[in-house]
């Protein structure tokens, strides 16, 4: 698939569908009980294992196929970690709500405690991606995972510092306490920096795609361009009054008492950006 427009549309579909699939499974597990969340994580292990195997196998493949396989393998690994996090299985040791009048330092420490195992897992996963592809010629799997990782860190920090729009309706029962660690604010100092960096990164990937000497490199950078642009879009969803949650709410099973507040970009839609 060498057509950049078709590649872009396919990437957007993968972002939308993979996010919806994870949210759907999490909602189904919520309705079935806590044990269902663990079953989801165990059943999803082929995403993790298969993703790493595919990434390793594509490390020396510089063709268009190799670029697609590397990209999708990184998305597969990322998807498992998102599933494990939203299931509450790989989250953090702190499961308590944050007191409403906690100081910034206390709130930060409590927030780190809610995400600690997930962050350690993602950093370990990023290191393993680097180990698998470092000696090869195709690094698109590593760059894809790194883009998702750093965009997610940026989204989490912005949610902690404060943004106007925070969707909590996608938070599952095991992570209901996370909402108390978010902060509503008109703006924070980090948001303009995040937008600038993501815009610059999108432009850099686009420039490299334009200068690519082979089809494989061209498609690889097109994939990264679209993915980073989606991460940028998810950041804008934090401040713009757009009903972005409707992209997925229509497909989710209904619950008796859904939270209808406005929410964290789940990352990473694919989850990209959280």
């Amino acid at each position: 698939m060498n057509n950049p427009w078709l590649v872009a549309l396919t990437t957007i579909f993968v972002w939308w569908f993979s996010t919806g699939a994870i949210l759907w499974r999490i909602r189904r597990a919520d309705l079935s009980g806590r044990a269902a969340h663990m079953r989801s994580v165990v059943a999803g292990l082929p995403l993790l294992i298969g993703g790493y195997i595919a990434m390793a196998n594509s490390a020396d493949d510089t063709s268009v196929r190799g670029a697609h396989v590397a990209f999708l393998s990184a998305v597969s690994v990322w998807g498992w970690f998102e599933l494990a996090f939203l299931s509450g299985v790989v989250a953090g040791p702190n499961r308590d709500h944050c007191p409403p009048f906690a100081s910034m330092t206390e709130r930060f420490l409590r927030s780190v405690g809610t995400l600690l195992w997930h962050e350690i897992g993602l950093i370990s996963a990023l290191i393993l991606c680097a180990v698998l592809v470092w000696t090869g010629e195709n690094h698109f799997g590593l760059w894809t995972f790194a883009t998702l990782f750093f965009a997610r860190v940026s989204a989490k920090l912005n949610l902690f510092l404060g943004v106007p729009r925070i969707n909590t309706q996608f938070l599952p029962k095991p992570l209901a306490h996370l909402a108390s660690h978010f902060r509503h604010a008109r703006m924070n100092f980090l948001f303009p920096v995040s937008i600038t960096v993501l815009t610059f990164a999108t432009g850099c990937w686009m420039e490299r795609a334009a200068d690519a000497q082979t089809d494989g490199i061209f498609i690889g950078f097109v994939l990264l361009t679209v993915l980073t642009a989606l991460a940028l879009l998810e950041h804008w969803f934090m401040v713009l009054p757009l009903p972005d949650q409707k992209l997925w709410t229509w497909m989710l099973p209904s619950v008796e008492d859904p939270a209808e507040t406005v929410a964290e970009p789940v990352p990473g839609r694919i989850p990209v950006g959280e």
Side-chain angles (χ1 to χ4, degrees):
M1 188 163 55
N2 296 352
N3 187 311
W5 298 107
L6 185 57
V7 170
L9 290 174
T10 303
T11 305
I12 294 171
F13 175 79
V14 169
W15 166 77
W16 170 80
F17 178 80
S18 59
T19 299
I22 291 172
L23 293 176
W24 180 87
R25 181 54 217 164
I26 293 299
R27 180 66 61 83
R28 292 293 302 176
D30 252 0
L31 296 173
S32 302
R34 186 168 180 79
H37 284 294
M38 179 59 76
R39 290 196 296 270
S40 296
V41 174
V42 174
L45 280 174
L47 289 173
L48 179 68
I49 299 170
Y52 275 127
I53 292 173
M55 189 180 299
N57 290 338
S58 67
D60 292 315
D61 186 353
T62 58
S63 67
V64 171
R65 177 183 176 278
H68 282 294
V69 170
F71 177 82
L72 292 174
S73 65
V75 170
S76 179
V77 172
W78 183 267
W80 183 84
F81 276 98
E82 287 302 301
L83 178 64
F85 172 66
L86 291 173
S87 296
V89 176
V90 182
N94 178 29
R95 302 284 175 144
D96 298 326
H97 284 72
C98 184
F101 300 108
S103 66
M104 177 71 80
T105 301
E106 181 184 357
R107 198 162 63 86
F108 179 78
L109 293 174
R110 286 176 173 271
S111 297
V112 170
T114 64
L115 307 171
L116 186 60
W117 310 143
H118 183 237
E119 296 306 307
I120 292 174
L122 289 178
I123 293 171
S124 301
L126 180 61
I127 292 172
L128 182 54
C129 288
V131 169
L132 290 176
V133 307
W134 199 256
T135 58
E137 297 183 22
N138 180 0
H139 292 173
F140 286 116
L142 172 61
W143 289 338
T144 298
F145 197 91
T147 298
L148 291 167
F149 176 78
F150 288 109
R152 179 69 170 212
V153 169
S154 173
K156 289 175 179 176
L157 288 174
N158 276 285
L159 287 166
F160 170 77
L161 293 171
V163 289
R165 302 186 68 252
I166 302 178
N167 280 328
T168 57
Q169 67 192 78
F170 294 131
L171 287 177
K173 292 177 181 177
L175 297 181
H177 59 286
L178 278 184
S180 65
H181 296 80
F182 302 155
R183 179 171 177 262
H184 285 277
R186 294 184 62 182
M187 185 55 64
N188 68 74
F189 72 89
L190 180 63
F191 186 80
V193 177
S194 299
I195 292 298
T196 301
V197 171
L198 286 170
T199 302
F200 178 75
T202 302
C204 286
W205 296 137
M206 191 180 300
E207 180 183 22
R208 292 197 176 192
D211 293 338
Q213 301 300 310
T214 67
D215 287 344
I217 294 175
F218 172 69
I219 293 302
F221 282 119
V222 168
L223 290 166
L224 288 172
T225 298
V226 178
L227 182 66
T228 309
L230 288 171
L232 175 62
L233 178 63
E234 289 192 347
H235 277 67
W236 280 115
F237 281 154
M238 297 183 198
V239 300
L240 297 178
L242 299 173
D244 55 294
Q245 68 275 10
K246 292 185 178 179
L247 289 169
W248 297 279
T249 50
W250 64 272
M251 67 173 69
L252 302 181
S254 60
V255 294
E256 293 181 2
D257 185 24
E260 293 296 343
T261 41
V262 186
E264 175 190 340
V266 179
R269 296 183 180 111
I270 24 178
V272 184
E274 258 116 251

